[in-house]
Amino acid sequence: MRPPVLIEEDDRVAALAAYDLVDTVPAPAFTQIVSLATRLFDVPTAFVSLVDRNRQIFHAKVGLDLCETDREVAFCSHTIAQRDTLVVLDATLDPRFCDNPLVIGPPYIRFYAGIPLVAPSGHAVGTLCLVDTRPHHGFSAADQTILRNLADLALDRMELRRLQVAERASHARFLQIASTSPNGIVCADAAGHITFWNDAAEGLFGYCATEAVGQSIDLVVPERMRRGHDGGLHRIAAGGEPPSPRQDRRVARAAPRRD
């Protein structure tokens, strides 16, 4: 039986792409989760799968040689179409899967339990699954709760990854904009060390980036203004208000390079 067609498939695939996990090496946390799952449920196989538009990718796995399958034959294609755990006690007796290539051939799936991994957008982007080559007689409500807890751990790790990807993308956009800006742009960390210096800042202050980055921000602040500027920097680092634009302009004009 073919898996159901999802109405918001484009949005779901976009939600998966935000994690940048497809075709990447799994983080150790994912492997630890699926290893724990095999021990808790006494099954030979567990995996985190990512369901792309046309394929299922086994991102982290234990007891499975496959790296991916066509989505048409993936049990997980059915799992992501619902919000509850999909439990198949004996796939040979289930009309949806009895003639599935993964049932009548390797890895000879009999028991399957999978829970969707749902992104904050509400789209199921993958699954956490248990697989056995022998049928099971049941999968209790307590078992489902434990599987849900493991899925929550996987989702937490995925969300951390999504935030890291978004931060990298945001930083890359900033660098692209700042590097071509006609305005002098200088960034410093909470300790007051310069972390970014664009070409326009070189023209404004006379120092190139290799000379400025890593130096104290005092490099561009006149000595008479350093005490107040240092206090303002600590205030900003603590979440306070930045100086007024008028003050910024005064600093920018104050300290050109003197060799």
Side-chain angles (χ1 to χ4, degrees), residues 36-151:
L36 178 60
T38 60
R39 295 194 297 271
L40 287 174
F41 293 98
D42 191 25
V43 295
T45 302
F47 53 83
V48 170
S49 79
L50 306 173
V51 184
D52 207 349
R53 188 179 301 276
N54 298 311
R55 57 187 177 133
Q56 168 187 236
I57 301 99
F58 300 112
H59 182 63
K61 57 187 179 178
V62 171
L64 187 67
D65 293 330
L66 294 172
C67 293
E68 64 178 67
T69 66
D70 191 293
R71 185 171 165 180
E72 290 292 321
V73 302
F75 281 54
C76 298
S77 295
H78 296 263
T79 305
I80 64 170
Q82 59 185 55
R83 286 295 180 265
D84 298 326
T85 306
L86 174 62
V87 178
V88 180
L89 297 178
D90 187 345
T92 63
L93 303 178
D94 191 310
R96 294 170 295 180
F97 306 111
C98 60
D99 60 351
N100 188 294
L102 304 178
V103 175
I104 61 179
Y108 299 104
I109 296 174
R110 295 298 178 265
F111 167 76
Y112 170 94
I115 190 165
L117 300 175
V118 182
S121 62
H123 299 98
V125 297
T127 63
L128 173 64
C129 302
L130 311 171
V131 166
D132 203 342
T133 55
R134 58 182 179 83
H136 284 209
H137 299 295
F139 197 73
S140 68
D143 290 334
Q144 294 190 40
T145 298
I146 295 171
L147 188 61
R148 164 53 65 191
N149 291 339
L150 292 175

Side-chain angles (χ1 to χ4, degrees), residues 189-190 230-243:
D189 59 21
D230 186 61
L233 184 65
H234 287 294
R235 184 174 66 253
I236 294 170
E241 291 294 323

